[in-house]
Amino acid sequence: MSLVRVEGLSKSYAGTVAIDGVDLEIRAGEIHALCGHNGAGKSTVVRLLSGQESPDGGTIVVDGDPVELKTRRDAQTAGVALVDQELSVVPSLTVGENLLLGDRDAGWLNRRGAQRRRARQVLDALGLTHVRPEQPLSTLGLGERQLVEIARALGQRARLVILDEPTATLTDVESEHVYAAVRSVAAAGCAVLFVSHRLGEVLALCDRVTVMRDGAVVTTNDAAELTVPTLIRHMLGEAPETAPRSRAESGDTVLELASVRVPDRFGALSLRVRSGTIYAIAGQLGSGASDVLRGLAGLVPAMAGDVTVGSTRLRLADPVAAARSGIAFASNDRKSEGLFLDRSTAVNLLATRIPALSRFGLVGPRRWTETESRMAELCGFSDRQLGQPVGRLSGGNQQKAFVGRSLERPGTRVLLLDDPTRGVDVGGRSAVHRLIREAAARGVAVVFSSTELDELVDLADVVLTMYQGRLVARHSSGVPGDVLLYEMTHGVEPG
Ligand code: ADP
């Protein structure tokens, strides 16, 4: 029986069509997966179903009645609960208090006895028999917190529970607990909408699978009728053309990783990085791709193993040592790391050059202007942009300023870029790519992480795929996108 029906749902953002004419039927008692490559429109559907945003068109029908979900509270009243990727449980409160957070039913908030019984009931239902409602949530691990969030949805009598990548950052054991919880939620007659990039997990856990592509639903199938390769074919449509290229690795080894690891993040990784070569680490959230880069930049205290830059062994967990040895790192959150947002673009471009250009701490105006115009040309900035605070530039331009600065800095040997074009528009993206190629052409070794197939295939000379903290495979340029997607979402090489 259909519990939630979505008909002709559409939504645009400032002229960009995110989804258009989406139809979806979710049945009571089923675990329904929502799959699609990045940008397919999954998050938009989730936001509309959970009342975080309103659709431009279409209807949402719950139990036969059309509903308007203008706020999260509306969604809750209609029986729809979202278990977020970013947990919304509060560590400083007790488990019991977290279960009551945002509850519309003030009745059971006032009766402590009933409250405690209900908390016990939902915790037990999810196998959290060892957890006491009086216990501070901070005493639980990440996986258990995820379960508490599912328990909260149940406690609030949700009919449809939406899970957005619930296991992306969990260990295998923790994930198993979440699967068991999801199964018991469905067995109780609720519906589950399960958004995940882990395709093996999707096929093992879910009853039906809806695949989205380019803002529309491509197909809905019984999971039993699908395999990982067919699922990927639906996600990608026609296999993307990949121009075979023969750019191979060249140059001397500038960076060497031997058995480098971070507990609970990624296992022993050994790798040689050569100058003038662009390496990609392809991996979804939780794969460890981002952790490798952050670790090499000295930002992960728990990293262990041997890292050699040039012929010198690098002191781990020391960002200053990493920078001194010639490693430059741009995080995917440029706002908090990397640039001085309230200073002009020109100052940001030159920031790391000041010691080299100056005599007694002063930079002569001629040298300043010379360097400034050379860098402006390299990055393609106008005079107006140079004078503006860099924080006001678009994401793509900020990324260009960062890469440009690292290039100009004497001694940059390795450029690490964590998801360099996330949130960057198409134009900005090709400009960033051009600058990255320029860096490699000057002999810098570039290592970037990404999930975007086009970017991986177009830009990298070598692509390493990662899944759940393990290296899956290594490819040279020209590898087909569907092979990469298979490895990134399934953890094994296609047979
Ligand atoms: P998915 O969750 O499958 O990765 P999304 O729903 O996030 O896909 O995105 C679908 C499309 O809508 C993408 O092209 C994305 O760029 C666009 N989009 C999503 N949210 C916004 C937003 N707030 N502003 C502009 N475009 C957006």
Side-chain angles (χ1 to χ4, degrees):
M1 204 197 69
S2 128
L3 178 72
V4 174
R5 228 174 48 238
V6 166
E7 286 165 4
L9 209 61
S10 56
K11 176 81 184 172
S12 298
Y13 298 96
T16 310
V17 178
I19 59 167
D20 188 20
V22 165
D23 296 328
L24 183 64
E25 185 227 6
I26 307 168
R27 299 173 186 162
E30 79 168 344
I31 309 173
H32 194 121
L34 188 59
C35 294
H37 190 48
N38 290 346
K42 306 178 298 293
S43 313
T44 304
V45 169
V46 168
R47 284 198 295 269
L48 299 179
L49 278 177
S50 57
Q52 296 177 69
E53 284 170 6
S54 301
D56 298 337
T59 48
I60 299 173
V61 179
V62 179
D63 266 340
D65 297 321
V67 290
E68 275 199 46
L69 310 177
K70 291 208 177 91
T71 61
R72 275 185 93 142
R73 187 156 285 263
D74 289 344
Q76 208 185 61
T77 309
V80 179
L82 170 67
V83 176
D84 246 316
Q85 207 178 77
E86 325 248 313
L87 296 186
S88 51
V89 286
V90 184
S92 59
L93 297 180
T94 66
V95 170
E97 285 164 340
N98 269 287
L99 291 176
L100 290 172
L101 273 186
D103 197 331
R104 70 195 135 107
D105 192 355
W108 69 275
L109 207 122
N110 292 333
R111 286 177 289 121
R112 301 205 93 223
Q115 209 181 90
R116 210 171 302 127
R117 272 198 304 281
R118 182 81 185 132
R120 189 68 272 155
Q121 215 176 356
V122 292
L123 290 173
D124 289 349
L126 297 182
L128 290 170
T129 47
H130 58 288
V131 173
R132 289 173 300 111
E134 306 77 40
Q135 201 171 336
L137 189 81
S138 56
T139 56
L140 303 184
L142 202 55
E144 286 176 326
R145 290 186 202 180
Q146 183 83 259
L147 294 176
V148 168
E149 195 158 329
I150 300 175
R152 184 171 71 195
L154 284 183
Q156 295 170 3
R157 298 178 174 75
R159 312 280 314 282
L160 170 65
V161 179
I162 305 174
L163 294 114
D164 192 359
E165 288 209 63
T167 59
T169 54
L170 301 186
T171 63
D172 286 353
V173 175
E174 289 171 332
S175 299
E176 284 303 329
H177 288 300
V178 171
Y179 303 150
V182 164
R183 288 195 184 97
S184 68
V185 169
C190 297
V192 176
L193 186 65
F194 192 84
V195 183
S196 175
H197 279 117
R198 297 184 176 177
L199 301 182
E201 154 186 298
V202 159
L203 293 184
L205 179 70
C206 299
D207 302 303
R208 294 197 302 155
V209 182
T210 290
V211 178
M212 292 187 70
R213 186 170 74 229
D214 296 335
V217 167
V218 184
T219 147
T220 299
N221 291 96
D222 285 343
E225 292 166 6
L226 291 169
T227 60
V228 173
T230 45
L231 203 47
I232 286 176
R233 218 166 306 131
H234 290 316
M235 284 164 65
L236 292 184
E238 289 298 306
E241 286 289 316
T242 54
R245 289 171 310 151
S246 56
R247 267 191 299 132
E249 278 180 281
S250 56
D252 304 328
T253 300
V254 279
L255 173 70
E256 190 161 356
L257 285 66
S259 206
V260 169
R261 61 210 176 266
V262 174
D264 287 336
R265 287 290 166 190
F266 64 90
L269 184 76
S270 296
L271 179 66
R272 251 184 210 192
V273 171
R274 292 171 188 277
S275 68
T277 307
I278 305 176
Y279 298 81
I281 307 183
Q284 307 282 2
L285 179 70
S287 65
S290 209
D291 302 288
V292 172
L293 299 183
R294 300 184 64 79
L296 289 174
L299 300 172
V300 181
M303 190 158 95
D306 286 326
V307 177
T308 314
V309 185
S311 53
T312 317
R313 186 155 165 215
L314 181 70
R315 237 175 86 106
L316 299 184
D318 182 348
V320 176
R324 284 222 181 96
S325 73
I327 293 179
F329 168 73
S331 81
N332 55 16
D333 179 12
R334 291 175 287 279
K335 299 214 168 353
S336 64
E337 291 165 300
L339 294 170
F340 308 107
L341 294 181
D342 53 348
R343 303 302 301 275
S344 71
T345 306
V347 166
N348 270 283
L349 285 173
L350 294 170
T352 54
R353 281 291 279 156
I354 290 171
L357 294 173
S358 64
R359 286 178 64 192
F360 313 116
L362 291 171
V363 183
R366 222 187 59 216
R367 297 204 67 179
W368 180 280
T369 322
E370 252 173 45
T371 316
E372 187 180 295
S373 50
R374 195 171 63 241
M375 295 203 47
E377 197 188 316
L378 176 72
C379 302
F381 286 128
S382 65
D383 286 349
R384 197 176 57 83
Q385 286 171 322
L386 282 174
Q388 260 179 0
V390 78
R392 282 216 219 118
L393 299 184
S394 68
N397 280 327
Q398 288 185 24
Q399 192 63 269
K400 276 176 8 189
F402 179 85
V403 178
R405 183 179 74 182
S406 310
L407 279 186
E408 188 66 13
R409 180 170 176 261
T412 297
R413 294 202 268 189
V414 181
L415 191 55
L416 306 174
L417 304 163
D418 192 7
D419 210 349
T421 58
R422 184 167 83 180
V424 171
D425 63 23
V426 181
R429 202 169 157 129
S430 57
V432 171
H433 286 181
R434 218 176 308 125
L435 211 51
I436 291 175
R437 289 202 185 92
E438 171 74 24
R442 294 182 179 207
V444 173
V446 181
V447 189
F448 72 94
S449 72
S450 178
T451 57
E452 291 294 336
L453 297 177
D454 294 347
E455 180 160 84
L456 293 165
V457 172
D458 290 348
L459 188 60
D461 302 316
V462 175
V463 184
L464 305 153
T465 46
M466 279 187 84
Y467 182 79
Q468 289 190 267
R470 282 182 306 105
L471 198 61
V472 181
R474 176 195 175 94
H475 305 276
S476 35
S477 66
V479 55
D482 54 347
V483 169
L484 296 180
L485 194 57
Y486 188 94
E487 293 170 357
M488 281 156 62
T489 56
H490 196 48
V492 292
E493 292 182 65

